[in-house]
Amino acid sequence: MAKFISTIDKALSALCVTLSVFLVICVVWQVFSRYVLNQPSTYTDEIARFLFIWVGLIGAAYALGQKKHLAIDLLLTKLESSPKKQNFLNLLINIISLFFIILIMCYGGGKLVLDTMSAGQISPVLGIQMGWVYFAIPLSGAFMLIYLLRDISKELTH
């Protein structure tokens, strides 16, 4: 399991870095073409928007896996003296997160992708199916699901 998670970590970090590099290139070209050439590139504007969606969602999955995501640990610090209560609270938070990920990101995101694909919605400039852009939602949800299942199993063994 640890090797599988390590492979996912490496893949997600490489994907985030690659997408971020392309995002920066698109934005720099957009600024250059708009202000220097006085002819803004419509392609890079739309590509940058889509890349930003993907970087944000895949980056969120990676951050969850690395436990670097935004967390409010007020209750955990209050329960500092009781490791048993901390483990229970962590387990409860992970289970609530699991239900959210399954319901909203995997099911809802998957339904959004299928509905968008079946409706034939395409992006105005690039002409690609918008379902491919929205596919970042269930994909990141699947990675978050893997990380949460790892964390829940870890909490149960403690």
Side-chain angles (χ1 to χ4, degrees):
M1 180 72 163
K3 188 173 182 175
F4 177 66
I5 296 293
S6 175
T7 304
I8 291 175
D9 288 342
K10 289 176 186 171
L12 288 181
S13 66
L15 182 60
C16 283
V17 167
T18 304
L19 293 175
S20 296
V21 166
F22 284 126
L23 176 61
V24 168
I25 291 169
C26 285
V27 171
V28 167
W29 177 253
Q30 177 67 21
V31 170
F32 178 77
S33 67
R34 180 179 304 250
Y35 293 109
V36 175
L37 302 177
N38 288 327
Q39 205 170 34
S41 171
T42 55
Y43 289 103
T44 54
D45 183 44
E46 195 166 275
I47 292 170
R49 266 187 274 134
F50 296 162
L51 286 173
F52 190 69
I53 292 168
W54 274 77
V55 167
L57 288 167
I58 300 299
Y62 181 71
L64 180 74
Q66 300 301 307
K67 297 188 185 293
K68 303 278 187 198
H69 58 290
L70 179 64
I72 300 171
D73 58 354
L74 179 66
L75 287 176
L76 280 175
T77 55
K78 292 274 186 198
L79 300 174
E80 195 171 296
S81 61
S82 174
K84 194 172 184 178
K85 288 181 183 177
Q86 282 183 338
N87 284 346
F88 176 75
L89 185 59
N90 276 330
L91 182 63
L92 182 66
I93 290 169
N94 285 333
I95 289 172
I96 292 169
S97 299
L98 183 77
F99 283 119
F100 175 82
I101 297 300
I102 290 171
L103 186 65
I104 302 299
M105 297 194 71
C106 293
Y107 174 74
K111 187 164 173 29
L112 174 67
V113 169
L114 292 175
D115 290 348
T116 306
M117 290 288 218
S118 65
Q121 182 183 357
I122 60 169
S123 69
V125 177
L126 296 175
I128 61 171
Q129 287 273 341
M130 287 301 294
W132 292 112
V133 176
Y134 300 146
F135 185 67
I137 300 169
L139 182 64
S140 67
F143 288 122
M144 288 179 184
L145 195 62
I146 292 168
Y147 286 129
L148 284 172
L149 289 173
R150 175 204 60 190
D151 294 343
I152 288 171
S153 69
K154 202 177 284 186
E155 291 295 327
L156 289 174
T157 57
H158 282 121

